[in-house]
Amino acid sequence: MSPRKTRRVDAAAVALAGMIVLGAALADAPASAQPADIASGSGSGSGSLGSSGSSDSGSGAANDPVSTLPAPASTTIRLDGAANFRDIGGYRTSDGHTVRTGVAFRSNRLAGLTDADLVKLATAGVTLDVDLRAGSERSSAPDRVPTGAQYKVADVISFDSGISFHEFPPITLGRGVIDGVVNGSASLVQSIDYPFMVNFHGADVAFGTLLRSIAGNSGATVYHCTDGKDRTGWATAVLLTLLGVPRDVVNADYLASNAELGNPQAVQLSWLEAAFGEVDRLYGSVDKYVRDGLGLDQSTIDALRAKLLA
């Protein structure tokens, strides 16, 4: 299936879609809970997250199943000032590889890092911090960056690359509302925002920048948004899928933010599925989305796989 031709929309549609996309920056509340490691459950229907063994609760999609996950080798790297900081490595791929640990870390905002946290990141070899947040978020809570590390902005909701969409925005909006209601979403804003992260060209530029940055960085990379669950969650889902990690494990890694943030409805699987659904509609596969939407060439994809797979 070919990607649909990007079309310009009128001012009213742009304003509407812009408000929807901007919701990604406003939907999360700060987390105060202590971080918890991913706990192994009894199977894909266990719904078990976190060292406390508590299950997701709430209506509808809040009861999504969580696969049994391996304990990544780097769960010992914990930051006092970033509860949702974690390594994306340690997972097995469908073709028998393992995602390397110590190469890419996902996180919530880094504004609250302690001096000891900065030392941990420097010791872990972090040489690049990619910030997915909007300008207002960055100015109100600027990152603390490890000594010697480069700081790069990849703003998911920026209009700097133009205001264009791959699908007429009211269609994406209407589908998001319907999906959210049907799936018992705890947040219709998020049910709408996730497909817009695929539909909006500015998000393509940001996620493409992130993946190219990880591929080209000689050291380890940390990337984040505000709570490390939505923009960061989608970026991680795309990267792990591109590396060949099975979808149930990708889903479980995404849902682990509920335990890390101490909120059983911080994320819901239906939101992630809405983004993957938009990929299927517009591109037909994640591989074509990465190539045709995010603009990655084969050499960059090869570099990502060489860097992250053992």
Side-chain angles (χ1 to χ4, degrees):
M1 177 180 177
S2 312
R4 297 185 185 178
K5 203 173 190 180
T6 301
R7 38 171 101 171
R8 296 281 173 175
V9 296
D10 60 28
V14 167
L16 174 63
M19 290 174 64
I20 295 164
V21 176
L22 287 170
L26 304 173
D28 304 327
S32 58
Q34 292 295 318
D37 289 344
I38 301 171
S40 294
S42 59
S44 63
S46 66
S48 179
L49 278 176
S51 58
S52 65
S54 60
S55 298
D56 289 351
S57 61
S59 63
N63 293 313
D64 294 319
V66 179
S67 297
T68 300
L69 292 180
S74 61
T75 50
T76 53
I77 301 177
R78 285 303 193 185
L79 304 182
D80 292 332
N84 205 9
F85 174 90
R86 45 198 164 101
D87 199 315
I88 71 163
Y91 301 134
R92 294 284 288 178
T93 66
S94 298
D95 60 356
H97 290 283
T98 300
V99 181
R100 287 192 175 99
T101 57
V103 177
F105 301 93
R106 56 177 294 174
S107 185
N108 54 316
R109 56 187 166 298
L110 305 182
L113 295 186
T114 66
D115 290 343
D117 290 336
L118 292 173
V119 170
K120 288 180 182 179
L121 291 180
T123 302
V126 171
T127 58
L128 177 63
D129 166 19
V130 182
D131 193 339
L132 302 175
R133 298 177 300 167
S136 59
E137 297 169 283
R138 300 194 302 271
S139 60
S140 64
D143 279 5
R144 297 197 70 194
V145 182
T147 301
Q150 178 188 1
Y151 174 75
K152 180 178 288 188
V153 172
D155 184 347
V156 173
I157 60 177
S158 172
F159 291 156
D160 289 348
S161 299
I163 307 174
S164 59
F165 302 86
H166 305 295
E167 176 181 69
F168 191 47
I171 295 175
T172 313
L173 168 62
R175 187 187 295 115
V177 170
I178 293 170
D179 287 350
V181 171
V182 169
N183 289 303
S185 177
S187 169
L188 282 180
V189 171
Q190 297 293 39
S191 296
I192 295 165
D193 279 348
Y194 274 71
F196 266 100
M197 285 195 286
V198 179
N199 188 22
F200 177 51
H201 173 65
D204 291 345
V205 174
F207 292 127
T209 296
L210 169 63
L211 296 184
R212 281 187 288 271
S213 298
I214 294 172
N217 184 30
S218 59
T221 302
V222 58
Y223 58 96
H224 71 94
C225 51
T226 292
D227 282 343
K229 67 186 188 69
D230 299 311
R231 288 161 287 185
T232 300
W234 175 239
T236 304
V238 171
L239 177 54
L240 291 178
T241 300
L242 182 64
L243 295 174
V245 175
R247 179 66 65 82
D248 61 340
V249 178
V250 171
N251 291 346
D253 180 85
Y254 168 77
L255 289 168
S257 285
N258 290 341
E260 303 296 337
L261 297 172
N263 176 3
Q265 292 189 351
V267 293
Q268 293 182 206
L269 190 54
S270 64
W271 303 343
L272 185 64
E273 289 174 338
F276 277 120
E278 190 76 355
V279 165
D280 290 341
R281 280 185 292 273
L282 297 179
Y283 299 94
S285 70
V286 171
D287 184 69
K288 285 187 66 64
Y289 164 63
V290 166
R291 295 171 189 273
D292 298 339
L294 307 190
L296 268 62
D297 57 23
Q298 188 61 48
S299 63
T300 301
I301 294 170
D302 291 343
L304 275 171
R305 289 174 174 157
K307 186 177 184 67
L308 282 159
L309 293 178

